[in-house]
Amino acid sequence: MVMILEPDNFTSTMSLSGLRRPVCLIPKFALCIGRSLTVPICAKRRNVPKVMSVQKFSASVPKPKKETICLYFVDRDGDRITVNAGVGSNFLDVAIDNDIELEGACEGTLACSTCHLIFKPDQYDQIHEKPTDEELDMLDLAFGLSDTSRLGCQVIVTKEMDGWEIEVPSGVADARG
């Protein structure tokens, strides 16, 4: 049976090719909703045998495990903290993942200077990406700025950085005000 929802009644017929047939615009069970608070349950639970081992099938190539290196952060108290850093991550994410006290208030969008780090001079020269003008503008507002300062959100970890020691400045100046 086909139903049409009209203001005065729930059923009606329409003429299709000269024949009068009932037409359904909403399922029958939906009519129950207006009359009561319960909706009939149409789905039945099927008995599916439990499988002891689950095989995973994928059309994509599995991701290789991320290579890690060892870094040392010298925190605000002068403590040396050893961390494992994933190659390809930025220093802000590495610090946050390892509970290093580095704020990153703008979440790496280059809108503050709270992830300011100080590198050793020989290490600073080995960083592949040179600071952009935007990063240099933010660094001008950083607390304890040095010639080897960089924003942690802008420096990407590479294999060559294994064993580096990075200093977290003793204070923070938030460039956002």
Side-chain angles (χ1 to χ4, degrees), residues 4 15 34 47 58 86 107 134 137:
I4 297 176
S15 175
N47 287 333
S58 175
E107 297 177 354
E134 293 84 8
D137 289 343

Side-chain angles (χ1 to χ4, degrees), residues 33-114:
I33 296 173
R35 297 184 191 152
S36 72
L37 297 176
T38 60
V39 176
I41 296 176
C42 299
K44 252 177 29 175
R45 185 177 199 133
R46 294 187 307 166
N47 287 333
V48 179
K50 292 183 180 180
V51 178
M52 297 306 279
S53 65
V54 177
Q55 289 183 333
K56 295 183 181 181
F57 299 98
S58 175
S60 63
V61 177
K63 293 181 183 177
K65 298 215 182 219
K66 201 170 201 178
E67 187 176 349
T68 59
I69 62 166
C70 183
L71 293 174
Y72 304 97
F73 281 89
V74 178
D75 69 5
R76 292 185 170 105
D77 299 327
D79 297 329
R80 188 174 193 226
I81 303 166
T82 305
V83 301
N84 287 323
V87 173
S89 301
N90 65 47
F91 274 81
L92 173 60
D93 291 340
V94 170
I96 290 171
D97 292 345
N98 290 282
D99 297 323
I100 305 294
E101 194 176 334
L102 193 65
E103 189 172 338
C106 73
E107 297 177 354
T109 60
L110 198 55
C112 73
S113 60
T114 59

Side-chain angles (χ1 to χ4, degrees), residues 108-176:
T109 60
L110 198 55
C112 73
S113 60
T114 59
C115 64
H116 169 220
L117 296 170
I118 301 171
F119 292 85
K120 293 185 176 180
D122 60 323
Q123 295 169 349
Y124 180 85
D125 294 333
Q126 294 177 38
I127 298 173
H128 294 290
E129 311 87 21
K130 299 303 172 199
T132 61
D133 290 337
E134 293 84 8
E135 182 181 357
L136 292 172
D137 289 343
M138 282 295 120
L139 279 169
D140 286 340
L141 304 170
F143 180 85
L145 184 66
S146 76
D147 291 338
T148 60
S149 291
R150 289 293 301 267
L151 295 180
C153 64
Q154 299 301 303
V155 181
I156 304 299
V157 176
T158 63
K159 290 187 227 179
E160 296 81 27
M161 295 176 177
D162 192 28
W164 282 19
E165 185 175 280
I166 304 96
E167 180 184 344
V168 178
S170 60
V172 174
D174 191 345
R176 297 174 305 154

